[in-house]
Amino acid sequence: MNQLKLGLPKGSLENATIALFEKAGWLIKPAARNYFPKIDDPELACSICRPQEMSRYVESGMLDAGITGKDWTMENESDTVLVGDLIYSKVSRKPTRWVIAVAGDSDIKTLEDLEGKKVSTELVNVTKRFFAEKKINVDIEFSWGATEAKVVAGLVDAVVEVTETESTIRAHGLRIIHDLMESNTQFIANREAWQDPWKREKVENIFMLLQGALKADRIVGLKMNISEEKLEDIVDILPCLNAPTIAHLYNQKWYSVETVVSEDIVRDLIPQLKKKGAEGIIEYPLNKVI
Amino acid sequence: MNQLKLGLPKGSLENATIALFEKAGWLIKPAARNYFPKIDDPELACSICRPQEMSRYVESGMLDAGITGKDWTMENESDTVLVGDLIYSKVSRKPTRWVIAVAGDSDIKTLEDLEGKKVSTELVNVTKRFFAEKKINVDIEFSWGATEAKVVAGLVDAVVEVTETESTIRAHGLRIIHDLMESNTQFIANREAWQDPWKREKVENIFMLLQGALKADRIVGLKMNISEEKLEDIVDILPCLNAPTIAHLYNQKWYSVETVVSEDIVRDLIPQLKKKGAEGIIEYPLNKVI
Amino acid sequence: MNQLKLGLPKGSLENATIALFEKAGWLIKPAARNYFPKIDDPELACSICRPQEMSRYVESGMLDAGITGKDWTMENESDTVLVGDLIYSKVSRKPTRWVIAVAGDSDIKTLEDLEGKKVSTELVNVTKRFFAEKKINVDIEFSWGATEAKVVAGLVDAVVEVTETESTIRAHGLRIIHDLMESNTQFIANREAWQDPWKREKVENIFMLLQGALKADRIVGLKMNISEEKLEDIVDILPCLNAPTIAHLYNQKWYSVETVVSEDIVRDLIPQLKKKGAEGIIEYPLNKVI
Amino acid sequence: MNQLKLGLPKGSLENATIALFEKAGWLIKPAARNYFPKIDDPELACSICRPQEMSRYVESGMLDAGITGKDWTMENESDTVLVGDLIYSKVSRKPTRWVIAVAGDSDIKTLEDLEGKKVSTELVNVTKRFFAEKKINVDIEFSWGATEAKVVAGLVDAVVEVTETESTIRAHGLRIIHDLMESNTQFIANREAWQDPWKREKVENIFMLLQGALKADRIVGLKMNISEEKLEDIVDILPCLNAPTIAHLYNQKWYSVETVVSEDIVRDLIPQLKKKGAEGIIEYPLNKVI
Amino acid sequence: MNQLKLGLPKGSLENATIALFEKAGWLIKPAARNYFPKIDDPELACSICRPQEMSRYVESGMLDAGITGKDWTMENESDTVLVGDLIYSKVSRKPTRWVIAVAGDSDIKTLEDLEGKKVSTELVNVTKRFFAEKKINVDIEFSWGATEAKVVAGLVDAVVEVTETESTIRAHGLRIIHDLMESNTQFIANREAWQDPWKREKVENIFMLLQGALKADRIVGLKMNISEEKLEDIVDILPCLNAPTIAHLYNQKWYSVETVVSEDIVRDLIPQLKKKGAEGIIEYPLNKVI
Amino acid sequence: MNQLKLGLPKGSLENATIALFEKAGWLIKPAARNYFPKIDDPELACSICRPQEMSRYVESGMLDAGITGKDWTMENESDTVLVGDLIYSKVSRKPTRWVIAVAGDSDIKTLEDLEGKKVSTELVNVTKRFFAEKKINVDIEFSWGATEAKVVAGLVDAVVEVTETESTIRAHGLRIIHDLMESNTQFIANREAWQDPWKREKVENIFMLLQGALKADRIVGLKMNISEEKLEDIVDILPCLNAPTIAHLYNQKWYSVETVVSEDIVRDLIPQLKKKGAEGIIEYPLNKVI
């Protein structure tokens, strides 16, 4: 039987990824001791890997495909296929950024001021390439974590660190002087596996359902009854995410209208629908929108 | 831009209120340090207030509208507009009551027996007005909490305390001698804001969606297929919360019937529908019923 | 008023049972101190009982019906009516088994080797009947728990213990030499109550809704729009759990098709539907499938 | 090498027993999976056993000695040697009692009223012997736990249950009609092991150090300086737990006096010592008092 | 029998107070339901009271003595006897202060700027007296808590709030413009009880032992052996908290020297003692230093 | 004022180190946001650093001294002064080892079998030097954690990982083929700081008190009274950790004997002392033994 070797990210994305797969249709049960979580699909063999190491194993073919951050694929300079982006819904709704930060009261204002300074980061290679391109000579050392604190402690002059809301950066009193890159979660595949039609279709189907589940996260179903004379008027104000489904009601000059809309706008839409004469409005949750 | 200043209740209702707004279509993110939670609607500015103080701030116009208990609005004798009641679903389904309670073995049996006695309560003004009306002379003192215990400790003769299930009252061995008042959650507005058409419509729309979400809490969607000859018979027993949506099925003498019913009765309705010949019955959850 | 006395299982099944009743349409509120949980149906009076004792009380008529394990009904040799099995969804999806296990390095290989040995178990009667039938003379003693450990400690020669994944058995280094019986959760009723038409119908209705809720656990609703020329082709690949509901869309040569499918296959079905031309596919959750 | 097989009680006494052994000089490290905790003394092999089963295993020689409750030794009618009582310090300082309790509003007032009634208990044998002696005919059934609740539920007429503070009894609204027996923790030994001089000495030494550690739990060291003329006067009021240690101070007409006293009285003793002229009083904690 | 009615503070000081009494020689067992903790001294009857209410009950004689904050005694203007201060050891070692704070960007800089402004506080009376004395006209309202947030929310102009490290003040972005008063924990007594010789002695003895336990918290015992020729030299550098106890060792020209020293200095003292020739230095913990 | 910059290890040793300093005489209060914990000694400035990075900062003089593992100092090839070893008391009492491990069923049996294989480790430099010396060609890659799992997942052939009890190694089913090195906690200093007399003495005094506190961890004080004729006999069996302190008791032919002994042997010693006639034996805890 064909089987796809799939890498799932360990750490902060682990639970969100398992929840996303469940919504997409796969039950993953974490296995405590070894690192092969069980999945209820014999065509898949899962491994849990550090995001930092994922692209290495996808590149070498140990894994056929994997979910990881764009940042770590770049750090490893891995040659892999990008299947697509997976934008997990977050409260902050801000992108993940790698930034260069210095102490709030530092004299360092520009990239050029970093000439000859010491910089600590977990993203050593990307940082080295960045400064080499700019022809700025910087002493870059690998950080084992708690990177921001080293600026506060005076141990280094600057850090290159990942941030979403800047809250940790600000809590340490640091000042951002440059944005190095943005990153997000990605679905990547091995070059050779991508040439195999069975594997490629399996990867594309998984990606379609993961996308469908992500899309459904803040989208709801809306259903209402509308009389014939108001039908056109009301359908006009429905947002065109998908065309609405309209059915003639039995023995009546009324229609059932059903559509999907973003949860963000439903609170403005419902009062308008009501005002224009829609009746029996109900809203219901969705699992997937393809 | 127009903006409505909205007060949300701190304490036992806080999480339930945030969950209700989410269901109604607004994401509120509590802010740890200060008391201004973030909301994803630029037309709203939220504040978290103690229910005890809410009506004061709505009355004075510091807030345009707020959610609080009827008891505290009365305690404060605030002049505000009652937009409507918000009956949060509770397992106990019993009203919130303010009661007068004495020690289980006390000689005090009637209100008159309280003449000259000491009473401790957090609801001082309502209590004072109550006894003044009855022309009973009682020494009423403000309580900082743990009110029931003071009777047990012999420090006071009676308490006026809030209760839903009487469990705390009984756990202290107290006996209720009178019900002072019932209370529930209310949506109130400032008199002046109510005159402003934009603010009034915003308040009414929020209230409509909160009510729609509360209503959906124990209401479900029901869908089934019914043959032509049984259609009338079955539709007759459907409760008339909203009129059912009936559509002719393609190429068949069958109809799809869809309706919303209270979850309380669905357990009685489904066996009847089945007995009368409905097929393919499914029940699905709702977010809002308008 | 008629009232059915219903026993709910204390312990590992307690929360799952309360959740199942909620999905089926009854709110149960556990009562901390005494053992009578509140339920929002005046026709039901609930008691929380140990599964081990349930069948005794159902047999004697203290309870009209109850939910317990088949194993304990057999242990008690209770004469009750089996209303039906309730297979709670589990991740392991393996049956509950009572097995005979010995130390990993024991000389005991067959049932006959247990002649004259000491066996510890919580299921004394079933075990005694089993060995009596086999005409093997075994010294069976009641265990207060932690049964497996007694083999490890050398206190007994074998145990009869319940297991689902064998993980505890294996963690103690035991070896299974025989499967005594399989068990699962059951809905049982008192013989006399079963003769009472009102009680019997109440029991059957509860069972129907519990089954409907269990069935809905891994089943979802699927809805899509299909053009006339592709309709037959697509409907052919829909699984026939229930016949799909097909309705003609207003003013178009398109149809709305709606069906319920197992969540297990939806991940394979959706890519096929898409490929064959289905549009606006949405998937939504269900509460019950009858 | 000689080795003593020692049983430690599982459950409510487990942590207290491990802490007591640590104070007495042995480090016990609980072993998660199997029931053989590690101990840093090669002459001891420990097992964790249910108190209910301990005396059975000590009687049979599976264990040489064990710590358990007097109640369970009596329930099992085990023939063992009583090494001594171990009165663990408790805040309640009340003995553990087995009592007969009925519903608060029951007609049952005396033991005789139990004639023909149903009684549930975990202590079946002791209870049977008790009623047999009294020549009262009672239907006694084994309880799997939550015994008090059965009276509340009307399932039985009375219970025999263990209690220290009566709080659970009272929380269920039960009324005690008789005290069956008192119990406490005991150190027991196997009859044969007691004849073995090495084992007997080992058991006696362990018991001496456990007693020394228990004794030290509420005993403290007290040290002070006293001038020659007040020496006799002060020494007279020191309690005579051990004789005080008196040493002449260098080059002075003063003495250093050191003694051990119960922590219970130290709060009364110190003010007296101070009043009579003791100086530099310090109190320090003890690990053992032999 | 004589009995002293003693009030213990509920809330943040509760556990620290119980721990302090245990060190002083009294075991207090909190009682969950009612508010009378058990204490192992028949001459004492304890009540747990809010610190805010304590002085009221001590003043009225409901309690003979109590532990509370100086701030609340002043707020209540209670006429009680101050037995003494109890400075609980804290990591911050900063006094508790009541401060007047305004928004960080407020125009209010001085007390006079508060003329006509609104101030929220839990310490209404003290605040009123303060401003009355200063002849500044301020609108002071009682706060139900979360006082700082009201300034942030713009609901009031200033707050009078308690703080130790200023961390909450600063977290809200407030600025302190004045220190109203400092406070600390105090042992207070009823005026009449203080006239009763038995009660007064009981109160004084409790206070002596509480103080002794507080003093021992950061004081340790130190013991060493010193040869005759170095004795004087070493004794000279010992701090004179209590005079050291010196005893001649048996059959040797050596002395045993024992003393108590602050834990703060022991880290500097031990290296010096070692350098000067002290041998066998040991340090041991203390329970009380009188 | 002179000040010593001291690095404390972040992570698994952090709490143990803070507890050890408290016993030694310094209160360290962790600071949440920045990495400068407060310490109650103005002569010390603490920083919390990763053990992996500590020796780099001590070598460069950013820190004067630090506590870290011998393994990481070697990994960094840092040139620092070894002040001494700090053997923290552990239940396992086994050394920390870095081992080479392969899958349980791997063909790799000897170091030579690793020729051309892939090895994952966090200790890249030590591992590279090790294999270079052995002239074995191995592909060594840096591991971001969860190293053992990579062998199980088949991603690498071997790992170099740290272990104390081998439990994680065994839980993954790995087999150890070689011990690379042992490690333990060490106190290290900067070469230049070591030349500064003030800094060197400060470092040495801290180390003396840390060692004194570690030593006291399993050592206790023992005190007893002995009559003249038994004195010599008993003193002979006292272990000679420090010479016992013997003092003549007032007015008696008795002596007070006091000594410190290892807690491990006290359980054997006390029964002997008792048998030989020692009286009033007490054991008390110690803070430091110098």
PDB file of all heavy atoms in Angstrom, chain F residues 140-155:
ATOM      1  N   ILE F 140      27.951  14.510  12.231  1.00  0.00           N
ATOM      2  CA  ILE F 140      27.360  14.972  13.497  1.00  0.00           C
ATOM      3  C   ILE F 140      26.496  16.206  13.250  1.00  0.00           C
ATOM      4  O   ILE F 140      26.981  17.208  12.724  1.00  0.00           O
ATOM      5  CB  ILE F 140      28.484  15.304  14.509  1.00  0.00           C
ATOM      6  CG1 ILE F 140      29.227  14.001  14.855  1.00  0.00           C
ATOM      7  CG2 ILE F 140      27.915  15.952  15.768  1.00  0.00           C
ATOM      8  CD1 ILE F 140      30.596  14.213  15.413  1.00  0.00           C
ATOM      9  N   GLU F 141      25.214  16.143  13.630  1.00  0.00           N
ATOM     10  CA  GLU F 141      24.364  17.315  13.424  1.00  0.00           C
ATOM     11  C   GLU F 141      23.770  17.809  14.748  1.00  0.00           C
ATOM     12  O   GLU F 141      23.517  17.037  15.664  1.00  0.00           O
ATOM     13  CB  GLU F 141      23.258  17.025  12.398  1.00  0.00           C
ATOM     14  CG  GLU F 141      22.181  16.108  12.880  1.00  0.00           C
ATOM     15  CD  GLU F 141      21.036  15.984  11.863  1.00  0.00           C
ATOM     16  OE1 GLU F 141      21.290  16.124  10.657  1.00  0.00           O
ATOM     17  OE2 GLU F 141      19.898  15.746  12.298  1.00  0.00           O
ATOM     18  N   PHE F 142      23.567  19.115  14.823  1.00  0.00           N
ATOM     19  CA  PHE F 142      23.054  19.725  16.044  1.00  0.00           C
ATOM     20  C   PHE F 142      21.584  19.354  16.237  1.00  0.00           C
ATOM     21  O   PHE F 142      20.783  19.417  15.314  1.00  0.00           O
ATOM     22  CB  PHE F 142      23.193  21.249  15.959  1.00  0.00           C
ATOM     23  CG  PHE F 142      22.556  21.957  17.117  1.00  0.00           C
ATOM     24  CD1 PHE F 142      23.092  21.845  18.389  1.00  0.00           C
ATOM     25  CD2 PHE F 142      21.405  22.713  16.944  1.00  0.00           C
ATOM     26  CE1 PHE F 142      22.507  22.497  19.456  1.00  0.00           C
ATOM     27  CE2 PHE F 142      20.807  23.354  18.005  1.00  0.00           C
ATOM     28  CZ  PHE F 142      21.366  23.247  19.256  1.00  0.00           C
ATOM     29  N   SER F 143      21.216  19.004  17.454  1.00  0.00           N
ATOM     30  CA  SER F 143      19.835  18.637  17.764  1.00  0.00           C
ATOM     31  C   SER F 143      19.160  19.735  18.567  1.00  0.00           C
ATOM     32  O   SER F 143      19.714  20.241  19.537  1.00  0.00           O
ATOM     33  CB  SER F 143      19.818  17.345  18.582  1.00  0.00           C
ATOM     34  OG  SER F 143      18.527  17.147  19.107  1.00  0.00           O
ATOM     35  N   TRP F 144      17.938  20.076  18.175  1.00  0.00           N
ATOM     36  CA  TRP F 144      17.173  21.094  18.909  1.00  0.00           C
ATOM     37  C   TRP F 144      16.398  20.480  20.063  1.00  0.00           C
ATOM     38  O   TRP F 144      15.540  21.138  20.646  1.00  0.00           O
ATOM     39  CB  TRP F 144      16.206  21.791  17.961  1.00  0.00           C
ATOM     40  CG  TRP F 144      16.876  22.711  16.995  1.00  0.00           C
ATOM     41  CD1 TRP F 144      17.494  22.367  15.842  1.00  0.00           C
ATOM     42  CD2 TRP F 144      17.017  24.136  17.108  1.00  0.00           C
ATOM     43  NE1 TRP F 144      18.008  23.475  15.216  1.00  0.00           N
ATOM     44  CE2 TRP F 144      17.726  24.587  15.965  1.00  0.00           C
ATOM     45  CE3 TRP F 144      16.617  25.087  18.056  1.00  0.00           C
ATOM     46  CZ2 TRP F 144      18.037  25.937  15.758  1.00  0.00           C
ATOM     47  CZ3 TRP F 144      16.928  26.431  17.831  1.00  0.00           C
ATOM     48  CH2 TRP F 144      17.635  26.834  16.697  1.00  0.00           C
ATOM     49  N   GLY F 145      16.626  19.237  20.406  1.00  0.00           N
ATOM     50  CA  GLY F 145      15.947  18.621  21.552  1.00  0.00           C
ATOM     51  C   GLY F 145      15.239  17.351  21.157  1.00  0.00           C
ATOM     52  O   GLY F 145      15.230  16.983  19.983  1.00  0.00           O
ATOM     53  N   ALA F 146      14.659  16.659  22.176  1.00  0.00           N
ATOM     54  CA  ALA F 146      13.979  15.382  21.923  1.00  0.00           C
ATOM     55  C   ALA F 146      14.867  14.462  21.110  1.00  0.00           C
ATOM     56  O   ALA F 146      14.419  13.785  20.184  1.00  0.00           O
ATOM     57  CB  ALA F 146      12.635  15.603  21.238  1.00  0.00           C
ATOM     58  N   THR F 147      16.140  14.439  21.470  1.00  0.00           N
ATOM     59  CA  THR F 147      17.155  13.759  20.659  1.00  0.00           C
ATOM     60  C   THR F 147      16.896  12.256  20.543  1.00  0.00           C
ATOM     61  O   THR F 147      16.974  11.692  19.454  1.00  0.00           O
ATOM     62  CB  THR F 147      18.548  14.042  21.277  1.00  0.00           C
ATOM     63  OG1 THR F 147      18.639  15.433  21.577  1.00  0.00           O
ATOM     64  CG2 THR F 147      19.651  13.674  20.312  1.00  0.00           C
ATOM     65  N   GLU F 148      16.592  11.605  21.669  1.00  0.00           N
ATOM     66  CA  GLU F 148      16.403  10.144  21.638  1.00  0.00           C
ATOM     67  C   GLU F 148      15.371   9.739  20.591  1.00  0.00           C
ATOM     68  O   GLU F 148      15.497   8.714  19.930  1.00  0.00           O
ATOM     69  CB  GLU F 148      15.925   9.607  23.003  1.00  0.00           C
ATOM     70  CG  GLU F 148      16.963   9.645  24.094  1.00  0.00           C
ATOM     71  CD  GLU F 148      16.855  10.933  24.882  1.00  0.00           C
ATOM     72  OE1 GLU F 148      16.213  11.889  24.393  1.00  0.00           O
ATOM     73  OE2 GLU F 148      17.411  10.984  25.991  1.00  0.00           O
ATOM     74  N   ALA F 149      14.312  10.534  20.466  1.00  0.00           N
ATOM     75  CA  ALA F 149      13.215  10.167  19.579  1.00  0.00           C
ATOM     76  C   ALA F 149      13.653  10.050  18.129  1.00  0.00           C
ATOM     77  O   ALA F 149      13.036   9.330  17.345  1.00  0.00           O
ATOM     78  CB  ALA F 149      12.098  11.195  19.697  1.00  0.00           C
ATOM     79  N   LYS F 150      14.725  10.724  17.773  1.00  0.00           N
ATOM     80  CA  LYS F 150      15.146  10.683  16.375  1.00  0.00           C
ATOM     81  C   LYS F 150      15.682   9.316  15.981  1.00  0.00           C
ATOM     82  O   LYS F 150      15.585   8.918  14.824  1.00  0.00           O
ATOM     83  CB  LYS F 150      16.205  11.755  16.136  1.00  0.00           C
ATOM     84  CG  LYS F 150      15.593  13.136  16.109  1.00  0.00           C
ATOM     85  CD  LYS F 150      16.649  14.200  16.158  1.00  0.00           C
ATOM     86  CE  LYS F 150      15.973  15.503  16.582  1.00  0.00           C
ATOM     87  NZ  LYS F 150      16.942  16.444  17.136  1.00  0.00           N
ATOM     88  N   VAL F 151      16.276   8.623  16.930  1.00  0.00           N
ATOM     89  CA  VAL F 151      16.702   7.260  16.641  1.00  0.00           C
ATOM     90  C   VAL F 151      15.467   6.389  16.447  1.00  0.00           C
ATOM     91  O   VAL F 151      15.379   5.619  15.489  1.00  0.00           O
ATOM     92  CB  VAL F 151      17.583   6.710  17.792  1.00  0.00           C
ATOM     93  CG1 VAL F 151      17.760   5.208  17.637  1.00  0.00           C
ATOM     94  CG2 VAL F 151      18.928   7.406  17.801  1.00  0.00           C
ATOM     95  N   VAL F 152      14.497   6.538  17.337  1.00  0.00           N
ATOM     96  CA  VAL F 152      13.269   5.748  17.242  1.00  0.00           C
ATOM     97  C   VAL F 152      12.586   6.013  15.900  1.00  0.00           C
ATOM     98  O   VAL F 152      12.091   5.100  15.236  1.00  0.00           O
ATOM     99  CB  VAL F 152      12.308   6.098  18.397  1.00  0.00           C
ATOM    100  CG1 VAL F 152      11.077   5.200  18.343  1.00  0.00           C
ATOM    101  CG2 VAL F 152      13.011   5.973  19.736  1.00  0.00           C
ATOM    102  N   ALA F 153      12.600   7.270  15.467  1.00  0.00           N
ATOM    103  CA  ALA F 153      11.926   7.640  14.226  1.00  0.00           C
ATOM    104  C   ALA F 153      12.758   7.287  12.997  1.00  0.00           C
ATOM    105  O   ALA F 153      12.327   7.510  11.871  1.00  0.00           O
ATOM    106  CB  ALA F 153      11.631   9.137  14.244  1.00  0.00           C
ATOM    107  N   GLY F 154      13.952   6.758  13.198  1.00  0.00           N
ATOM    108  CA  GLY F 154      14.791   6.390  12.064  1.00  0.00           C
ATOM    109  C   GLY F 154      15.416   7.571  11.349  1.00  0.00           C
ATOM    110  O   GLY F 154      15.905   7.452  10.229  1.00  0.00           O
ATOM    111  N   LEU F 155      15.384   8.747  11.974  1.00  0.00           N
ATOM    112  CA  LEU F 155      15.917   9.939  11.305  1.00  0.00           C
ATOM    113  C   LEU F 155      17.436  10.000  11.425  1.00  0.00           C
ATOM    114  O   LEU F 155      18.099  10.606  10.583  1.00  0.00           O
ATOM    115  CB  LEU F 155      15.275  11.203  11.887  1.00  0.00           C
ATOM    116  CG  LEU F 155      13.741  11.304  11.739  1.00  0.00           C
ATOM    117  CD1 LEU F 155      13.194  12.491  12.503  1.00  0.00           C
ATOM    118  CD2 LEU F 155      13.353  11.407  10.268  1.00  0.00           C
TER     119      LEU F 155
END
